[in-house]
Amino acid sequence: MDFETLRKLSRDPWFGAGMAILSVVAALILLGPVLSPYDPYDMGFRPLSPPSSGHWLGINDGGMDILSELFMGLKNTVFFGLIAASAGLTLGALVGLSSAVAGGALDRFLMRMADIFLAVPPVMVLILVAAFFRPSPRVLALALAFLGWARSAKVIRAQARVVNGALHVKAARRMGGGRVYVIARHLMPEIFPLYVIGFAAQLRVAVFMEASLSFLGLFDPSRKSLGIMIHYALRYYYMDVWIHWLLPPVVCLTLLIMASTFLAVSLEKVFDPRLKETV
Amino acid sequence: MTMRIKGLTVSYTDGDHSLLALDGVDLTLSPGRITALVGESGSGKTTLGKALIGLLPENARIRGRVCLDGSDILELSEKERNRYRWQRISMVFQDGQAGLNPVMRISDQIAEPLIRRLGYGREEARPAVQRRLEEVGLDAGLAKRYPHELSGGQAQRVLLAMALVLDPEYLILDEPTAALDATTKNFVFSLLRDLKAGGRSLLLITHDLELVSGVSDDVAVLYLGQIMEAMPAGELLTEPMHPYSSALVRSFPGMDTVRDLGGIRGDAFYRFTHVHSHRDGSVHEHTHVKAPGTVHEGGHAPLEGCLFEPRCTQAIPECRTGDVGFTAAGSHSVRCLRGGIVAMLVMEGVCKSYGSVQALESTDLTLKAGEVFCIVGETGSGKTTLAMVAAAALGPDRGSRLFEGRDMDLWRRQDYRSLARRIGIIYQNPGEAVSHRFSVFDIVAEPLRIQKASFGPEEIRNRVVSALNEVRLSSAPEFLKRYPHELNMGAIQRLCIARALIHDPVMLIADEPTSSLDPSVQAKVLKLLLGLQIEKGLTMLFVTHDLGIARKVADRIAVMLAGRVVESGPAKRIVNHPSHPYTEMLVESAKGTAAPSLRIEVGGNQDEGICPFLHRCRFATERCRRRYPEVAALDGGHHLVWCWNPRRSSSIMDWTQG
Amino acid sequence: MGIRFKPHSGAVLGYLAAALVMVYLSYSLPMLLPGDFVTAMYSGSDVALSSEQEAKLRAFYTGEEGFGGYLLDLISLQWGISFAYRVPVSTLFLEALPWTLLLMGCAHVFSVFFGFIAGVEAAWRRGRFSEKAGVGAMTVLQGVPEIGSGVLLLLVFALNLGWFPAGGAETVYSEQTASVKTLDLLLHLALPLTTLFLAYFPGNFLLSRASMVMILKQRFIQTARAKGLKAVRVRYAHAARNALIPMVTRFGLRFAFMITGALVVETIFSYPGLGTLLFNAISMRDLPLIQAVVLISSLMVLAVNLMLEVAYSWLDPRLSDGF
C-alpha cells in the first residue's frame, strides 16, 4: 500500500466520520466496565425506574441497569460482527485466490459451490440452525461466515483472474517468476483492497444480522445484545420508558451500522474504482 | 459552403490553472477537398474536432469563430447546434467498438439518426442502412449483429457508415488509419477519395503521414496547439519548410525516406502550455515543456541503411569460413561472439494451435548469433506466436528448438530460471507490460529479485542504476520512486528495455516494440534498441507489421502469412527484389504505389493444401489451388520463397526448384 | 429479440442445487435432534393426539417416508402441523403470505423504480450541488438499519402524533365499505412500507447513479450525443439501458439479505405477514412451524433469483453461455 492511497483515505470525509464513530464505540467498549460499575445481570434494582444519578439510563423491567446492559450488548454485537467478517473474508479470499491461480477443474468446482452458497438466503439457514440447536454466539458467527464466503470469493477470484492474465504477470513468469512470487508481488497488492472493502461490507451485514436475530429472540435469552434490548423495550413502547431504554440501543446500533457503511463507501471510492466488477 | 475557422482558442480550466489546448488556429474547409491536420499526442488536434461538433467538456473556454453560411456556429444555442450535428457535420471517432452501444444492434444504431432526426420509419430506413454498409465495404448481413461480434476494423467502419447516414457536408475523421495494416489502409484511402469526389469536405486528424500524402489536398501541422505550417499535402514529404515538419517527416518510417530515423531534439514528458491567472487579475501565459531528468537525445545521428550489413547473412560464406575463435572478454563489437557460426537458436518444424485455430504451421527458423532478424506480417499471421515460441514463453505442439546448442524443452523443465536469464522479452504495449503498482525501481529490478540468490540489495541498486543509464533515463532517487502513470509511453518502453537487459541476456525478442508509440518517440526508442544491440552483441528477433521498419533494422527478414513463412532471406533482397507476390504487394503498399482494390471483408479460414495468398494473388494458377507451394531457393540458397510462380526480377541468376 | 434467453447455466444449476440442499436440510434437521421429535414437540401441549395422528406426524418428521415422499408432501402443501396453533402449517402460511407479498412487493417496486430514475438523473447532473447533497444524504440514510427507522417511525408517527395505527394490517370487526376498507389498509400499510422504502431506496439510488456515472464516461455516449439525439433519449435509451444491467445483478445478490430487514419490520409493526408468523413461532419454540416457514420462504427467494437471472440474460446480449 502506498502513501498516496493512505493520504487520500484520510482526507475523505466518509472515512473520517466512520473512523470517528468507531473510535467512540471502541472507547465505550473498553471503558464500559469502568463507567458503569454494575453487573448487567444484577437484577436487584427497582424495575422500570427512570434515569437517576446512580443509573444514568434507568432500570429495565427485569431490574437490571440499562447502561451496563448497553455496554455489554455493544461489545457482544461488535465482537460477533468482527468474528463473522474476518472469518468470512479470509475464507473467501483464500478460496477465490486458490481458485483463480489453480484454474481448471478445481476452479470450476469451487465456483459451482459458490453459486450454491450464494443462492441460499443466509438468514433463513441461521434461523433454522439457531432455533434447532441453540448454539453459542461464536458458533453462529462462524456459521454466518461460512454462509457468506461465496460473495467475496467470487469478487476476489474475478480480479485475480484479470491480474493473472495481464501482460506484466506473463512477463514476470517468463522472467522466471514462480507461482509464489507472482502471488506475493503481483496478485496480493491488487487483492488487498478488495479484502478491506469486503471486510467493511461484511461487518455491516454481520452486525445487522446479529441485531436482527437477537431482536427476534434467536439467541440465548439471557445474552446481552442491542437487539434483545430493543426487543424487550419495544414491549413497553406506550410508556415513557422509551427515551432511556428503547432509544439508546437503537441509536447505538444505527451509529454502528452507519460507521461500517461509511467505511465501506470511502474504501470503495479511494481504491481504484476499476476494481469493482458488476458483481 | 466553405467553413472558416478563425482564431480558435480553447483552454481547459482546472481551478486557477488553465491548459491551453489550441492557440489561435486558422483553418478553412472547402467542399470537395480533404484537409489533413497533423500532430502528435498533446498537439490539440482532437480538441479541434470536438470544438467543431460542439462536444467540448464544461470546463473548456472557447474564443474565436467558426463561420459557416455567414454565422458563427460557436455562438449557437445547444438546441440549434444539436440540429446541425450529424446532418451537416459528423465525426468518426477512433474508438472502434467502444464507440458503439453494446446492447443495440448495428442496424438500429446506424438507422437511429434517420428515424429520430428525419422521421424515417424502420422499414424505410433499412435499405439506407444496407447501402451505407456496402459503401464502406462491409457485408450487409453484418447489420443484425451486436458490436461485440465485430472485429476492431469492422467496428471502425460501422462508425464511418453511421457518420455518413445523414449525408453530411463535413466529415471529421479522427485517426482513421490507426493500427490498420497496409492493404486495409489502401482501401480506406480509396474510400476517402470517393467521399471527396461526392463534394464533401473532409477533415482528417492524423499522425499518419502516408494518409496525408496519399489522399489529402491540404495539410496543417500542429504542435502544442499552434499551427506550424500549412501547405499543399504533396509538399509535406518533399519540401517541408518548418523544422518541426521536417523532423516529423524524418521520424516517420516509410519506404521513401533515405535519411534515417533521427527523432526530434528534446524529450517532453509533460507538454503543456500554461495560462496562469494571478490574484490581481492579470493573466500570464507561458509555455512549459517539462522534461525532468532526461538527457537530450543526440539528434539525428544517421542510421545508415543497413548498419548491420557487415554481419549480414549475405556475407554468410565469410562468416562461415572465418571461423573466428571466441572473441571473448566483454567485447563490444559483436562479431560471432561464440566463435564459428554457432546459431543462437534453431527451430525446426514448430507449430502451434489454439483450439481449432492453427496459429502456426510447421515452420523452421534459425537465428544466428548477433544478428537482427525481422518477422514481418499482418495481424493473425502467426508472427507473435512464432516469436513467443522462440522466446521459450510458449511451448510448441510439435517441433524442436535448440538454444545455444541445448534442447530448449529439456532446459525449460530442468531449470527454467537459468533459461529465462538468457532471454529478454520486450512487448508491444509498454503500459500493460508493467504493473502500475511497481515503482520505476521495482520494474527494472524485478528480474533480479526473481532470480533471488546472489544479489544483495547494494548490488541490485547498482545494477538498476547502470541499466537506467544505458537506456538514457535518469537514475536520480526521485525518479526511481516514480510510478508508470507519471511517465509517457516512450519512457515506459525504455524501462521495459532496461528490465529486459538487466540480467545480460544473449537473445532479445522484441514484439512490435514501437507500434504503440508516437512517431518521434518511435524513432528514438528504435535507435536506442539498436544501439544497445550492437554494444552488447545481442541476437535480436524483431516482430513488426511494418516493412519500412524492418528495412531499417533487419539483417534478415521473414515474411509470414496465415501461420507460415512465405519468404525469407537477407533484408536487402527481400525489400529490393521481392519474389513472393505477397511480399511484392507489401513492398508496393509501403511505397504507396499499390493499386487499391475494394475488398469486401469475409472472415476466411485458411484451407490446408492451398496457398494462403490465393484469394488476393494476381498470378494464381491452378496449381496454387491444389497444393501448398514447395520451397524454391534463390541466390545460392539464402533467399527462400514458397510460391509456384515466384516473381522474377531482372537480376535473378540461379534458380533451383526444390 | 426472442433468441436471447440464455441464462448462465452455472447459476441455474446453482439455484436448483441450493433448493435441494435447503429441502434436504429441513428434511434431516428434525432427525438430528436428540430424542424423539414428535414427543418432544407435542408432549407439552394439552392436545392428546390419536395414535393415528401421532403415527402420521412421526412419519412426516422422522423421514420414514423417505426423501422422495417428503418432496411429494411439500408439493401437495402438506407442510406439517403447527405445535402452537394446532392447525396445518400451510393454512397459517397461506394466510400470512398475501400480506407479506403486498408489503415487500410495493416496497421493492417503488424503491427500484424511483431509485433507478433518481440515480439516472443524479448522474446526469453530476458535480452540481443537488447531486452531491443527494449522494451524501442517501449514504447517510443507507447507514440506518430497518430496526432503527422502524422504531423511530413507530414512536413518532404512531405513538406521538397518532397519524397512523401502531400495528396490524387492518382494523377487523367492522362493517366497512370498500373504499373505507382500502383507506384503512393503506393507513396500516403506510409506516412499514415507508420503513422498508427508506431502507431500500438509498441502495438502489446509489447503485443506479454509480453505474450511470461509469456508463456516461464510455465512448459510445459521445457517439450518441454527436448524432444530435435529444438529451432525454441519450440518457434513457442509450445510457440507462446499459446501467440497468448491473442493477439487476446486484439486486439479485442483495435480495437474500433484504429479508432480515423485512422480518424485523413486520415484527415491529405487528404486521400479520410471514415475518410476524416466524417471530411468533420462534418465541413459542414451534419448531415445525419455523422449519416449514423457513423452507418455503427460501424456495420462493430462490425462484425470484432464478427469474432475475433470466431477466439479466435477456437484458445483456453480450452474455453467452460462459462466464
Side-chain angles (χ1 to χ4, degrees):
Chain A
M1 253 241 283
D2 48 293
F3 290 123
E4 215 183 288
T5 344
L6 276 172
R7 243 187 309 128
K8 264 197 272 182
L9 256 184
S10 57
R11 284 204 218 127
D12 185 38
W14 297 116
F15 187 74
M19 287 307 269
I21 297 178
L22 282 186
S23 339
V24 169
V25 167
L28 284 179
I29 293 179
L30 290 172
L31 295 176
V34 171
L35 288 177
S36 69
Y38 305 109
D39 175 6
Y41 291 99
D42 184 354
M43 296 196 277
F45 307 101
R46 223 186 71 194
L48 296 176
S49 325
S52 61
S53 57
H55 302 269
W56 293 354
L57 288 181
I59 318 287
N60 70 6
D61 67 337
M64 303 179 254
D65 176 41
I66 294 179
L67 188 62
S68 324
E69 262 197 321
L70 190 66
F71 284 140
M72 178 165 262
L74 196 58
K75 183 183 87 162
N76 283 336
T77 304
V78 169
F79 275 28
F80 184 94
L82 286 177
I83 294 177
S86 42
L89 248 302
T90 310
L91 182 58
L94 276 175
V95 171
L97 206 55
S98 336
S99 197
V101 167
L106 181 64
D107 180 31
R108 280 197 299 272
F109 171 72
L110 285 174
M111 283 304 111
R112 286 285 188 265
M113 297 295 297
D115 281 332
I116 297 179
F117 272 88
L118 269 180
V120 172
V123 66
M124 296 295 181
V125 176
L126 278 181
I127 290 179
L128 265 184
V129 168
F132 274 74
F133 299 111
R134 302 249 153 213
S136 78
R138 220 158 281 166
V139 172
L140 272 180
L142 289 176
L144 182 58
F146 184 64
L147 290 171
W149 65 265
R151 197 145 173 217
S152 47
K154 269 203 151 173
V155 171
I156 286 181
R157 170 194 173 270
Q159 182 65 8
R161 271 175 59 133
V162 166
V163 176
N164 229 10
L167 188 55
H168 58 89
V169 169
K170 280 194 199 159
R173 286 216 188 93
R174 288 169 188 167
M175 293 192 274
R179 249 188 201 178
V180 178
Y181 172 80
V182 166
I183 292 180
R185 290 228 85 207
H186 286 266
L187 285 180
M188 288 303 240
E190 307 277 346
I191 301 298
F192 177 71
L194 286 173
Y195 184 93
V196 176
I197 294 171
F199 185 85
Q202 278 280 69
L203 183 63
R204 177 172 186 266
V205 167
V207 167
F208 183 65
M209 284 281 195
E210 196 276 346
S212 309
L213 291 179
S214 57
F215 174 77
L216 293 174
L218 275 168
F219 286 98
D220 179 0
S222 63
R223 177 177 175 272
K224 296 292 172 202
S225 148
L226 296 176
I228 201 78
M229 284 179 74
I230 300 176
H231 173 115
Y232 286 126
L234 204 52
R235 288 200 198 149
Y236 296 89
Y237 67 81
Y238 49 86
M239 289 175 66
D240 273 339
V241 294
W242 55 267
I243 297 183
H244 57 90
W245 190 11
L246 184 55
L247 273 188
V250 168
V251 167
C252 274
L253 187 61
T254 305
L255 285 177
L256 203 52
I257 293 191
M258 252 199 225
S260 38
T261 308
F262 291 170
L263 280 182
V265 161
S266 71
L267 285 172
E268 260 183 11
K269 264 202 314 181
V270 166
F271 288 110
D272 198 333
R274 272 186 301 149
L275 288 180
K276 240 188 346 186
E277 312 288 322
T278 47
V279 172
Chain B
M1 268 122 327
T2 307
M3 184 191 293
R4 281 180 231 278
I5 303 166
K6 294 218 178 93
L8 187 60
T9 304
V10 177
S11 55
Y12 299 109
T13 46
D14 176 20
D16 60 356
H17 249 73
S18 293
L19 184 64
L20 193 62
L22 286 178
D23 190 0
V25 168
D26 292 328
L27 202 61
T28 304
L29 302 179
S30 312
R33 285 181 85 79
I34 298 184
T35 310
L37 192 63
V38 170
E40 301 175 285
S41 12
S43 59
K45 48 193 192 346
T46 312
T47 302
L48 181 62
K50 286 201 186 163
L52 292 182
I53 204 165
L55 280 185
L56 288 173
E58 279 199 359
N59 67 335
R61 303 276 163 269
I62 312 175
R63 286 192 306 231
R65 293 187 313 198
V66 177
C67 297
L68 182 62
D69 280 350
S71 57
D72 180 6
I73 59 179
L74 293 176
E75 297 283 310
L76 294 179
S77 71
E78 174 65 18
K79 226 174 151 212
E80 291 164 323
R81 223 178 296 170
N82 216 26
R83 241 182 291 131
Y84 79 71
R85 266 187 203 129
W86 224 249
Q87 234 175 340
R88 300 198 70 188
I89 310 184
S90 76
M91 190 158 169
V92 182
F93 302 94
Q94 56 166 322
D95 307 316
Q97 243 179 43
L100 297 168
N101 188 339
V103 302
M104 270 174 95
R105 287 183 210 268
I106 302 295
S107 53
D108 291 329
Q109 294 193 52
I110 300 182
E112 189 174 18
L114 287 174
I115 299 177
R116 298 271 146 199
R117 304 282 307 273
L118 297 185
Y120 275 45
R122 283 192 84 168
E123 284 306 313
E124 256 186 289
R126 201 165 300 186
V129 169
Q130 306 235 357
R131 247 186 305 124
R132 296 292 173 200
L133 283 176
E134 278 161 7
E135 204 177 330
V136 298
L138 290 175
D139 181 40
L142 285 174
K144 292 221 186 326
R145 298 209 196 154
Y146 287 94
H148 66 281
E149 296 171 322
L150 303 176
S151 74
Q154 289 171 324
Q156 194 63 31
R157 287 196 253 176
V158 166
L159 284 178
L160 182 56
M162 193 160 61
L164 292 171
V165 79
L166 291 185
D167 225 355
E169 298 154 53
Y170 298 93
L171 188 61
I172 307 173
L173 294 106
D174 196 347
E175 300 289 359
T177 55
L180 294 180
D181 58 81
T183 40
T184 321
K185 261 194 205 183
N186 277 323
F187 169 64
V188 171
F189 284 16
S190 69
L191 184 56
L192 293 175
R193 284 191 208 113
D194 289 338
L195 290 174
K196 164 179 136 170
R200 285 182 234 269
S201 175
L202 270 62
L203 177 64
L204 300 179
I205 302 177
T206 181
H207 62 243
D208 180 348
L209 299 187
E210 275 174 20
L211 190 59
V212 175
S213 61
V215 152
S216 321
D217 298 308
D218 308 302
V219 63
V221 176
L222 201 60
Y223 182 67
L224 292 188
Q226 290 184 343
I227 295 200
M228 294 286 126
E229 186 173 357
M231 66 201 114
E235 300 202 13
L236 177 64
L237 291 185
T238 53
E239 195 76 76
M241 291 196 224
H242 192 285
Y244 178 66
S245 326
S246 143
L248 250 191
V249 169
R250 240 194 335 265
S251 332
F252 191 78
M255 298 311 295
D256 283 302
T257 29
V258 178
R259 228 169 313 165
D260 279 273
L261 305 173
I264 301 174
R265 226 192 163 82
D267 191 17
F269 284 139
Y270 310 106
R271 298 191 271 197
F272 292 78
T273 306
H274 265 208
V275 177
H276 289 286
S277 16
H278 294 276
R279 236 164 264 165
D280 60 359
S282 66
V283 172
H284 179 55
E285 293 186 3
H286 58 276
T287 309
H288 291 302
V289 177
K290 278 208 283 191
T294 35
V295 173
H296 281 263
E297 272 301 325
H300 325 297
L303 261 181
E304 270 162 356
C306 227
L307 189 57
F308 310 100
E309 177 143 27
R311 300 179 287 111
C312 173
T313 335
Q314 210 170 17
I316 280 184
E318 283 176 71
C319 256
R320 229 168 252 176
T321 54
D323 213 347
V324 189
F326 280 80
T327 47
S331 61
H332 293 272
S333 62
V334 189
R335 207 187 273 258
C336 289
L337 201 73
R338 308 274 154 76
I341 21 126
V342 180
M344 181 64 65
L345 178 68
V346 179
M347 297 202 288
E348 273 171 14
V350 293
C351 51
K352 179 88 187 160
S353 60
Y354 296 103
S356 56
V357 179
Q358 188 77 14
L360 195 61
E361 307 268 357
S362 179
T363 304
D364 303 330
L365 186 75
T366 304
L367 277 188
K368 304 209 192 297
E371 73 170 346
V372 177
F373 193 106
C374 264
I375 304 180
V376 179
E378 306 170 323
T379 3
S381 59
K383 55 191 199 300
T384 303
T385 313
L386 184 57
M388 289 302 136
V389 168
L394 280 180
D397 299 331
R398 277 195 307 273
S400 70
R401 294 177 292 178
L402 282 174
F403 180 61
E404 291 186 304
R406 281 174 70 173
D407 183 328
M408 206 184 234
D409 290 292
L410 205 59
W411 197 346
R412 252 186 100 156
R413 274 197 295 272
Q414 286 169 342
D415 184 7
Y416 182 65
R417 280 220 188 99
S418 65
L419 176 60
R421 214 181 11 231
R422 331 261 312 136
I423 303 176
I425 309 180
I426 303 173
Y427 303 91
Q428 180 176 358
N429 196 333
E432 286 172 26
V434 299
S435 167
H436 286 259
R437 293 179 187 271
F438 279 23
S439 67
V440 163
F441 185 84
D442 291 329
I443 291 172
V444 180
E446 186 170 20
L448 299 177
R449 289 202 176 121
I450 290 178
Q451 296 285 341
K452 280 196 273 194
S454 76
F455 291 122
E458 207 35 58
E459 185 171 352
I460 292 185
R461 209 194 163 75
N462 290 338
R463 283 184 167 228
V464 169
V465 165
S466 65
L468 284 172
N469 288 332
E470 271 179 353
V471 297
R472 319 282 196 106
L473 284 176
S474 155
S475 51
E478 305 84 57
F479 186 69
L480 294 178
K481 288 194 213 143
R482 284 259 157 84
Y483 284 88
H485 66 267
E486 302 175 79
L487 307 174
N488 69 12
M489 285 292 149
I492 300 180
Q493 190 64 302
R494 289 197 220 196
L495 283 182
C496 290
I497 296 175
R499 174 177 76 177
L501 297 179
I502 197 170
H503 46 42
D504 288 325
V506 296
M507 183 165 82
L508 191 60
I509 313 284
D511 186 5
E512 305 226 43
T514 55
S515 308
S516 316
L517 307 175
D518 275 339
S520 61
V521 180
Q522 268 190 29
K524 288 164 67 166
V525 168
L526 263 182
K527 219 187 79 158
L528 175 69
L529 205 51
L530 294 173
L532 287 169
Q533 190 259 344
I534 298 170
E535 210 177 289
K536 293 174 176 281
L538 298 168
T539 307
M540 187 153 80
L541 183 63
F542 192 104
V543 176
T544 179
H545 66 267
D546 191 329
L547 198 53
I549 292 186
R551 180 190 189 238
K552 301 272 169 230
V553 149
D555 298 321
R556 285 197 298 150
I557 297 179
V559 177
M560 286 190 74
L561 178 64
R564 284 190 232 258
V565 175
V566 296
E567 186 167 2
S568 73
K572 266 207 160 170
R573 285 201 56 85
I574 300 284
V575 160
N576 293 322
H577 307 293
S579 178
H580 194 285
Y582 177 56
T583 318
E584 194 180 47
M585 191 186 82
L586 283 180
V587 169
E588 305 268 302
S589 288
K591 276 197 205 150
T593 57
S597 56
L598 192 75
R599 255 174 63 210
I600 307 259
E601 279 222 4
V602 178
N605 259 328
Q606 298 300 340
D607 291 314
E608 284 279 335
I610 294 183
C611 175
F613 195 53
L614 183 61
H615 300 289
R616 297 187 263 170
C617 186
R618 285 181 288 170
F619 313 105
T621 59
E622 250 321 291
R623 203 156 41 147
C624 303
R625 245 174 270 272
R626 278 186 278 123
R627 272 178 70 203
Y628 186 76
E630 286 164 2
V631 62
L634 318 164
D635 187 37
H638 309 306
H639 183 169
L640 302 175
V641 64
W642 282 258
C643 181
W644 292 123
N645 312 293
R647 314 304 306 135
R648 299 161 179 259
S649 95
S650 48
S651 60
I652 294 282
M653 290 165 291
D654 290 336
W655 272 98
T656 30
Q657 192 79 19
Chain C
M1 298 228 251
I3 332 169
R4 275 155 60 184
F5 285 87
K6 272 196 287 182
H8 175 211
S9 66
V12 173
L13 237 73
Y15 290 122
L16 288 176
L20 274 174
V21 165
M22 288 294 308
V23 174
Y24 190 74
L25 199 67
S26 132
Y27 167 72
S28 51
L29 269 180
M31 298 186 267
L32 293 173
L33 280 182
D36 180 28
F37 183 74
V38 180
T39 328
M41 271 295 89
Y42 296 100
S43 60
S45 81
D46 299 327
V47 177
L49 296 169
S50 72
S51 50
E52 189 189 298
Q53 285 176 317
E54 205 180 308
K56 232 175 120 206
L57 281 175
R58 189 160 275 132
F60 184 74
Y61 285 112
T62 53
E64 279 170 25
E65 306 171 319
F67 192 50
Y70 189 70
L71 280 174
L72 278 174
D73 283 331
L74 283 182
I75 298 175
S76 56
L77 296 184
Q78 288 178 39
W79 298 335
I81 314 280
S82 154
F83 152 66
Y85 295 97
R86 293 169 222 147
V87 290
V89 169
S90 42
T91 318
L92 297 166
F93 191 89
L94 293 172
E95 249 173 35
L97 182 62
W99 293 115
T100 300
L101 286 181
L102 178 64
L103 179 60
M104 288 272 275
C106 288
H108 280 305
V109 165
F110 288 157
S111 63
V112 167
F113 181 74
F114 288 113
F116 182 65
I117 300 212
V120 167
E121 295 296 323
W124 192 256
R125 290 168 182 67
R126 191 169 185 223
R128 292 192 218 166
F129 178 71
S130 56
E131 188 255 348
K132 284 196 199 157
V135 171
M138 286 304 116
T139 309
V140 172
L141 189 58
Q142 202 185 28
V144 178
E146 287 90 308
I147 290 188
S149 43
V151 166
L152 285 173
L153 281 177
L154 181 70
L155 288 176
V156 172
F157 289 100
L159 295 177
N160 279 328
L161 293 177
W163 292 351
F164 296 95
E170 53 184 354
T171 317
V172 290
Y173 308 131
S174 46
E175 299 291 320
Q176 290 164 336
T177 57
S179 56
V180 177
K181 236 182 166 52
T182 322
L183 181 64
D184 180 54
L185 219 77
L186 288 176
L187 280 178
H188 280 93
L189 193 56
L191 287 183
L193 184 60
T194 312
T195 314
L196 284 181
F197 180 80
L198 288 177
Y200 299 156
F201 179 81
N204 284 319
F205 168 77
L206 290 171
L207 180 57
S208 156
R209 177 199 156 272
S211 320
M212 268 300 275
V213 165
M214 285 188 55
I215 300 278
L216 284 177
K217 283 198 203 148
Q218 293 198 19
R219 302 301 208 133
F220 70 87
I221 297 294
Q222 186 177 243
T223 313
R225 286 188 68 197
K227 284 205 263 191
L229 302 169
K230 289 213 195 77
V232 179
R233 183 170 169 89
V234 173
R235 208 144 80 228
Y236 284 96
H238 284 264
R241 255 189 83 182
N242 278 277
L244 201 51
I245 297 169
M247 275 203 73
V248 171
T249 345
R250 290 189 70 157
F251 183 81
L253 286 174
R254 290 187 312 158
F255 190 61
F257 288 98
M258 295 197 238
I259 297 179
T260 326
L263 254 178
V264 163
V265 167
E266 279 196 17
T267 312
I268 294 178
F269 291 99
S270 315
Y271 191 80
L274 293 173
T276 313
L277 186 62
L278 194 55
F279 178 64
N280 293 333
I282 294 174
S283 350
M284 294 187 279
R285 284 220 73 202
D286 186 348
L287 291 180
L289 187 54
I290 297 177
Q291 178 193 6
V293 170
V294 165
L295 176 62
I296 305 300
S297 317
S298 311
L299 291 178
M300 285 171 46
V301 168
L302 287 177
V304 168
N305 276 338
L306 191 56
M307 288 197 300
L308 281 175
E309 196 67 39
V310 171
Y312 178 47
S313 74
W314 177 73
L315 277 176
D316 192 349
R318 280 174 291 188
L319 297 178
S320 55
D321 214 6
F323 178 38

